[in-house]
Amino acid sequence: MLDKIRSQLVNNAAQILRSPVHFLPNKLQNMILLEGMKAVFKEALEDGDFEFLQEKWLKIHIRDLNLSWFISYDDEQLIVADTPKQQDVSFSGDLNDLVLIAGRKEDPDTLFFQRRLSIEGDTELGLEVKNLMDSVDLDALPKPMFNALMRLAEFVHQGLQPSPNLSKGTSNAY
């Protein structure tokens, strides 16, 4: 029963979240994303690892939420904007797939070849972004953020697993 509820929540997450997320003002969304990225990429920012994004724009698009953010780097700081003057590379995927990537439950290359993750534009820049994401030491995240990410990724991962009853060919119908 709990597996069925989890599966329903995971499979309908985008539909459930779409309206509430769109009610958040863009400025607030951008601020939340920026602060989260500063925490996740703290070491990389301190080391100047984002310099490759100088005067370049990365688009992150969550397809099933119809939500996009544009990210760049200038004056040793990350920038999140509503609309850039240009878009050099774009990463897009569904909410659950992006959660699985963030929680290291799925490999971005696997999802790319399964056409669940799309990377368009400057492929060299896209590769640098992917490599930077892969280099993040999740253990260095603040504990509450790390725990929340791991639990969410595990919840999504388990919710996407086929039901044992369905895989054995049994039915709950009476």
Side-chain angles (χ1 to χ4, degrees):
M1 179 69 162
L2 290 177
D3 287 341
K4 187 174 183 175
I5 293 170
R6 177 184 5 224
S7 180
Q8 289 293 322
L9 282 172
V10 168
N11 288 312
N12 294 307
Q15 185 178 350
I16 294 166
L17 294 173
R18 190 176 299 124
S19 291
V21 166
H22 283 281
F23 281 119
L24 286 176
N26 287 346
K27 191 171 186 159
L28 181 59
Q29 289 179 30
N30 293 350
M31 184 186 75
I32 292 167
L33 178 64
L34 183 59
E35 292 307 313
M37 289 181 61
K38 284 179 183 177
V40 170
F41 295 108
K42 184 176 190 257
E43 266 184 51
L45 286 165
E46 290 169 356
D47 295 342
D49 292 346
F50 275 90
E51 287 180 359
F52 69 89
L53 262 183
Q54 188 87 28
E55 298 181 18
K56 307 274 187 193
W57 286 93
L58 162 67
K59 177 182 179 183
I60 304 290
H61 180 69
I62 304 176
R63 288 189 294 243
D64 51 356
L65 287 179
N66 194 27
L67 204 56
S68 297
W69 296 284
F70 299 90
I71 301 159
S72 188
Y73 182 80
D74 187 39
D75 198 24
E76 299 182 14
Q77 294 195 23
L78 285 173
I79 302 166
V80 177
D82 295 332
T83 53
K85 295 178 179 137
Q86 66 193 37
Q87 173 186 315
D88 298 288
V89 67
S90 171
F91 281 69
S92 61
D94 288 339
L95 176 64
N96 288 333
D97 290 332
L98 296 175
V99 168
L100 292 173
I101 291 170
R104 306 263 165 87
K105 294 288 184 185
E106 283 283 357
D107 177 56
D109 293 330
T110 302
L111 295 181
F112 176 78
F113 288 113
Q114 292 174 351
R115 299 185 188 271
R116 291 167 51 192
L117 175 66
S118 172
I119 303 170
E120 299 174 357
D122 182 338
T123 52
E124 185 178 330
L125 183 62
L127 215 73
E128 289 186 72
V129 171
K130 182 195 146 321
N131 291 339
L132 180 64
M133 289 171 47
D134 286 343
S135 73
V136 170
D137 179 11
L138 295 181
D139 292 330
L141 292 176
K143 283 291 179 212
M145 182 183 273
F146 174 81
N147 290 336
L149 177 59
M150 292 299 107
R151 287 181 184 187
L152 178 60
E154 182 60 28
F155 186 84
V156 169
H157 181 71
Q158 292 295 320
L160 292 174
Q161 299 305 308
S163 169
N165 291 338
L166 293 177
S167 63
K168 292 180 183 175
T170 60
S171 171
N172 290 338
Y174 292 104

